[in-house]
Amino acid sequence: MQQKLNLESERLRARLRQELAELQERLSPSPAHLSSTLASMRERLAPLTQQLQSSLSSNTQDLCGQLSLYLQGLETAEAARASEASQAFYQEVFSWMSQTLDHSSSKVADIITDFQTKAVGVLEHLKEEKSDLGQEMSSRLGQEVSSLRREAQSRVGTLKTELAALLETAIPHMSEVAASLELFCQNAALQGQVFQARMERLFLGLEEDLEVHRASSLSPSSSSSLQQGSFLQEDFSVKLSALIQDILHSV
């Protein structure tokens, strides 16, 4: 009987030590743990970012290839001074360009949404652990994705506006059309690289925040830290109450 009580007592002590260790880690994650978590996030998001860049690049090549064909048709008609190179002809070609831009814009939106969905899945386990780092990463990533989506839409909108303005002239100058298309394609080709650079900047910013955390980890004073500590202590209290009941039941 005494041996049984000793074993049960040791089991309960081990459980209590585990609960205390978990509470301590959640209240003040070690710098090493946070650095390891950040490195893991960077590693797991890297292939998704590369896939995003590759998909955007492929879409841009297809789009600009089609726009180039439309431009060649306009330039050929202009050079030949053909009778069909009328205002109606330009309107038709510009309409094709606009439809092509809209279709491509829809594909870009799907590509970005797919990336965001997969990236959120990578970060989800960190949010479940109530990790401030995971929540902060998720927030900043959402901002970067929103910027990428907004810039892509703005780029298409700007080109469509420029084409519409050129169409208002009797015969649009092909040099101006070509310049607008070239600028658009150059900027679109860089969007994936720009996003990758922003992701790197995001991680560098988080690393700097970790350095600040290391310096102040022994004296957390912000209200958010206090609120989080209060929540975790309440959570621990519930577990401790359950443990006490277990002890009473065992006795």
Side-chain angles (χ1 to χ4, degrees):
M1 180 66 177
Q2 183 63 39
Q3 182 180 6
K4 180 179 179 181
L5 289 175
N6 289 339
L7 290 174
E8 186 65 17
S9 177
E10 181 59 31
R11 182 185 72 82
L12 294 173
R13 280 198 296 269
R15 180 178 165 189
L16 180 58
R17 285 195 298 269
Q18 180 182 356
E19 296 287 358
L20 287 171
E22 290 179 358
L23 175 65
Q24 183 178 15
E25 181 178 357
R26 291 167 68 187
L27 282 172
S28 182
S30 68
H33 174 72
L34 293 175
S35 295
S36 175
T37 300
L38 184 59
S40 177
M41 283 194 294
R42 183 195 292 267
E43 181 179 359
R44 296 178 67 180
L45 287 176
L48 296 181
T49 304
Q50 293 172 0
Q51 180 183 357
L52 171 68
Q53 182 176 356
S54 177
S55 297
L56 291 175
S57 176
S58 177
N59 183 76
T60 297
Q61 290 178 5
D62 291 342
L63 170 62
C64 291
Q66 295 180 56
L67 294 178
S68 179
L69 291 177
Y70 291 139
L71 179 62
Q72 290 176 19
L74 290 172
E75 290 174 339
T76 299
E78 183 184 54
R81 298 296 181 183
S83 58
E84 64 268 21
S86 61
Q87 182 74 2
F89 174 73
Y90 286 114
Q91 287 179 345
E92 183 177 14
V93 174
F94 277 36
S95 176
W96 292 340
M97 285 185 174
S98 181
Q99 292 176 21
T100 300
L101 286 168
D102 288 339
H103 178 68
S104 176
S105 181
S106 177
K107 290 180 62 177
V108 167
D110 290 341
I111 291 171
I112 296 174
T113 298
D114 180 64
F115 166 80
Q116 185 173 24
T117 300
K118 292 177 179 178
V120 168
V122 168
L123 301 176
E124 195 62 34
H125 71 286
L126 296 170
K127 294 173 67 176
E128 290 176 356
E129 296 174 2
K130 298 182 175 64
S131 167
D132 284 344
L133 181 60
Q135 293 175 3
E136 181 65 20
M137 178 65 191
S138 180
S139 175
R140 296 190 188 187
L141 178 63
Q143 293 174 11
E144 294 297 347
V145 169
S146 295
S147 295
L148 177 65
R149 183 180 288 109
R150 184 170 55 252
E151 290 166 2
Q153 294 172 344
S154 175
R155 190 162 44 245
V156 169
T158 297
L159 178 57
K160 292 176 66 175
T161 299
E162 291 176 353
L163 293 178
L166 290 171
L167 192 58
E168 291 179 357
T169 61
I171 299 179
H173 295 288
M174 289 304 98
S175 60
E176 296 181 15
V177 177
S180 293
L181 294 182
E182 181 179 5
L183 180 60
F184 170 84
C185 290
Q186 286 177 351
N187 291 335
L190 293 173
Q191 62 184 335
Q193 298 176 31
V194 170
F195 183 77
Q196 191 166 27
R198 287 175 174 173
M199 287 293 293
E200 185 61 29
R201 183 184 63 184
L202 187 157
F203 279 110
L204 290 176
L206 288 174
E207 288 175 356
E208 292 177 358
D209 291 346
L210 286 184
E211 291 298 326
V212 175
H213 175 79
R214 287 188 179 96
S216 61
S217 59
L218 297 179
S219 58
S221 58
S222 67
S223 60
S224 59
S225 297
L226 293 175
Q227 290 172 357
Q228 182 192 21
S230 176
F231 172 80
L232 292 176
Q233 287 170 357
E234 290 175 4
D235 179 57
F236 176 73
S237 295
V238 173
K239 293 183 177 180
L240 182 58
S241 296
L243 180 58
I244 292 173
Q245 291 297 322
D246 198 355
I247 292 173
L248 295 175
H249 178 73
S250 299
V251 174

